[in-house]
């Protein structure tokens, strides 16, 4: 019985230690996540009355985050000696991230794992976002469309010739195009996505609502 209690205690201790977060900087590559803003607004943002969903902003693909990733799984809520960002630093990211508070949440969950200071992380995230060309047809989409998710991937490949199909993943949510995820090395050059990232949405008629 004592041996069983000890084993359970060790298992719980291990679980709690993992829940506290991994060591910052220990990851294999980045996932640049670009969120289709109209989908986020329809599924989440409208209910929150988020300014991201105000028609005056005209958001199409916004930066969801730059996520440290491993070949299998990903770190989160990491331990780091880096100071948390100021309100001014997080507010400065709203032009490409859309919703207030998004930058802070992304730093807390993912940015702390990058092994960078907050300013370095946000600079890296912006550089990664700026390195990708949003296909013009999506940047100014003026009507709702239903299309195969593969078409979205193909449009990104055509607009970004340095990318290949195994470096880009399309995700869906509730029958809608949700995100474009691009896998990048630490120097932000494209690389093949890991096995748990590379799986694409296979919908043949995914909804993309028009840019608001």
């Amino acid at each position: 019985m004592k041996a069983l209690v000890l084993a359970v205690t060790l298992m719980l201790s291990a679980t709690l230690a993992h829940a506290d977060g991994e060591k910052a900087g220990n990851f294999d590559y980045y996932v640049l996540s670009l969120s289709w803003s109209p989908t986020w607004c329809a599924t989440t943002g409208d209910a929150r009355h988020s300014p991201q969903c105000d028609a005056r902003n005209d958001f199409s693909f916004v930066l969801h985050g730059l996520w440290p990733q491993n070949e299998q799984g990903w770190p989160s809520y990491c331990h780091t000696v880096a100071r948390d960002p100021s309100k001014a630093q997080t507010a400065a990211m709203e032009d490409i991230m859309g919703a207030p508070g998004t930058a802070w949440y992304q730093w807390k969950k993912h940015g702390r794992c990058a092994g960078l200071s907050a300013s370095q992380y946000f600079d890296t995230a912006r550089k990664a976002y700026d390195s990708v060309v949003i296909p013009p047809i999506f940047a100014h989409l003026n009507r709702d469309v239903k299309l195969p998710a593969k078409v979205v991937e193909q449009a990104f490949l055509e607009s970004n010739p340095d990318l290949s199909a195994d470096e880009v993943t399309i995700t869906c949510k509730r029958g809608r195009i949700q995100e474009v995820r691009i896998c990048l090395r630490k120097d932000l050059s494209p690389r093949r996505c890991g096995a748990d990232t590379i799986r694409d949405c296979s919908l043949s008629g995914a909804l993309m609502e028009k840019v608001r």
Side-chain angles (χ1 to χ4, degrees):
M1 179 62 72
K2 288 183 178 180
L4 178 59
V5 172
L6 178 60
V8 172
T9 300
L10 289 173
M11 288 174 63
L12 289 173
S13 297
T15 301
L16 290 172
H18 178 75
D20 286 338
E22 295 85 352
K23 182 179 179 180
N26 186 20
F27 65 99
D28 296 321
Y29 66 100
Y30 285 117
V31 171
L32 174 67
S33 179
L34 306 177
S35 172
W36 182 243
S37 184
T39 289
W40 183 82
C41 289
T43 59
T44 304
D46 287 340
R48 296 179 180 178
H49 304 290
S50 171
Q52 177 176 333
C53 306
D54 191 309
R56 293 173 293 181
N57 289 323
D58 291 334
F59 285 122
S60 58
F61 280 103
V62 297
L63 174 64
H64 182 176
L66 183 68
W67 305 334
Q69 184 84 13
N70 292 319
E71 297 298 340
Q72 291 289 335
W74 56 88
S76 60
Y77 301 104
C78 295
H79 295 298
T80 178
V81 297
R83 296 179 62 180
D84 287 334
S86 66
K87 288 184 178 180
Q89 285 177 301
T90 56
M93 295 297 291
E94 288 182 21
D95 64 316
I96 59 173
M97 299 190 85
T102 299
W104 164 250
Y105 178 79
Q106 289 298 310
W107 162 258
K108 181 174 66 172
K109 184 173 182 180
H110 300 288
R112 287 174 177 169
C113 297
L116 303 172
S117 68
S119 61
Q120 289 171 329
Y121 173 70
F122 289 136
D123 286 348
T124 301
R126 185 177 290 275
K127 183 177 179 181
Y129 178 83
D130 288 342
S131 72
V132 176
V133 176
I134 305 299
I137 191 171
F138 298 140
H140 307 290
L141 189 65
N142 59 11
R143 62 186 179 90
D144 297 352
V145 296
K146 285 190 175 182
L147 74 178
K150 193 70 177 177
V151 169
V152 179
E153 177 181 281
Q154 190 59 42
F156 270 83
L157 295 178
E158 291 178 2
S159 295
N160 298 272
D162 290 341
L163 292 176
S164 61
D166 60 3
E167 297 165 347
V168 181
T169 296
I170 310 300
T171 69
C172 297
K173 184 176 184 178
R174 300 182 190 174
R176 304 166 182 262
I177 296 295
Q178 179 191 30
E179 292 185 348
V180 175
R181 297 176 180 175
I182 300 171
C183 298
L184 305 170
R185 298 181 180 90
K186 293 183 181 181
D187 66 1
L188 303 185
S189 61
R191 57 145 282 172
R192 178 182 172 85
C193 296
D196 58 354
T197 303
I198 204 168
R199 295 186 296 272
D200 280 313
C201 170
S202 59
L203 288 178
S204 59
L207 174 65
M208 289 188 80
E209 288 189 9
K210 66 182 181 180
V211 172
R212 300 186 177 193

